[in-house]
Amino acid sequence: MTRIIAPSVLAADFGHLDRDVRMIDRSEAAWVHIDVMDGLFVPNISFGFPVLRAIRQATAKPLDVHLMITAPERYVARFAHDGADRITFHLEATDDAAHCIALIRDSGASAGLSIKPGTPVEALRPVLPLVDMVLIMSVEPGFGGQQFLPASLDRIAALRRMADELHPQLLIEVDGGISAANARTLFEAGADVLVAGSSVFKAADPAAEIAHMLHA
Ligand code: DX5
Ligand code: ZN
């Protein structure tokens, strides 16, 4: 069973980005999660290429880039060029998910596909065998610090069943409202990778919070 914690830099102190990313680098977190928002697919704008490059300089850990942008196929090659190891885009953000997946693979990155809380898990079925990972959003994308949506647990279990049938190697990532309080339940429901922003960066001891989630 895979268990990965991917802290979201969205909740870091951007005045001390280098310090905060190096803290993750020294922790038990295996990946660094990077939330890119365009103000169109979601009602918020986060950051783009210069910040990604700065993060790349501060850690050798895999950069797990979560694109909350419309028509992601326009930019996946640039994200890979600037340091993304894994690129996840939203099924709702493109007319041609298979094409976007192919472009991510051409760029050398791992390909992930995400769905918002209101999108049925069944919508993933046609493209599931093409991706390395599916990201189940457990809050509406756009902002950190929201409450975990409990219906996400059944969605993770449903996706795990679909993956057992179609793609046993698939990684399942969950993002939004995750802390040491629900990490164990999520891993047991079938999640492999947990993203956590606020719970990590607001903790008195972020590395200890990461360890608690991992060994929950
Ligand atoms: C939300 C982002 C999340 C977010 C998680 O759109 O995709 O990665 O940063 O933040 P928390 O852990 O605070 O819910
Ligand atoms: Zn995210």
Side-chain angles (χ1 to χ4, degrees), residues 146-162:
Q146 303 181 75
Q147 285 257 320
F148 179 83
L149 297 171
S152 312
L153 284 168
D154 285 345
R155 291 162 60 73
I156 296 162
L159 176 58
R160 189 84 269 169
R161 287 193 295 275
M162 194 191 296

Side-chain angles (χ1 to χ4, degrees), residues 40-64:
L40 192 59
F41 181 69
V42 291
N44 197 10
I45 296 176
S46 56
F47 51 77
F49 301 111
V51 173
L52 173 62
R53 291 194 296 272
I55 296 168
R56 179 74 290 170
Q57 293 303 309
T59 180
K61 288 187 176 178
L63 302 186
D64 177 42

Side-chain angles (χ1 to χ4, degrees), residues 8 33 35 66 68 135 137 175 195:
S8 169
H33 187 82
D35 289 304
H66 175 194
M68 287 161 273
L135 167 53
M137 286 306 300
D175 183 0
V195 176

Side-chain angles (χ1 to χ4, degrees), residues 12-49:
D13 176 350
F14 284 79
H16 299 92
L17 184 61
D18 188 70
R19 179 198 69 191
D20 281 7
V21 175
R22 287 181 199 280
M23 177 278 293
I24 299 172
D25 190 68
R26 289 190 303 270
S27 79
E28 289 186 77
W31 299 352
V32 179
H33 187 82
I34 297 174
D35 289 304
V36 177
M37 306 177 185
D38 67 352
L40 192 59
F41 181 69
V42 291
N44 197 10
I45 296 176
S46 56
F47 51 77
F49 301 111

Side-chain angles (χ1 to χ4, degrees), residues 1-2 156 160 172-174 186-194:
M1 195 176 68
T2 313
I156 296 162
R160 189 84 269 169
I172 299 178
E173 182 175 53
V174 187
L186 289 163
F187 281 131
E188 286 175 353
D192 303 293
V193 186
L194 302 182

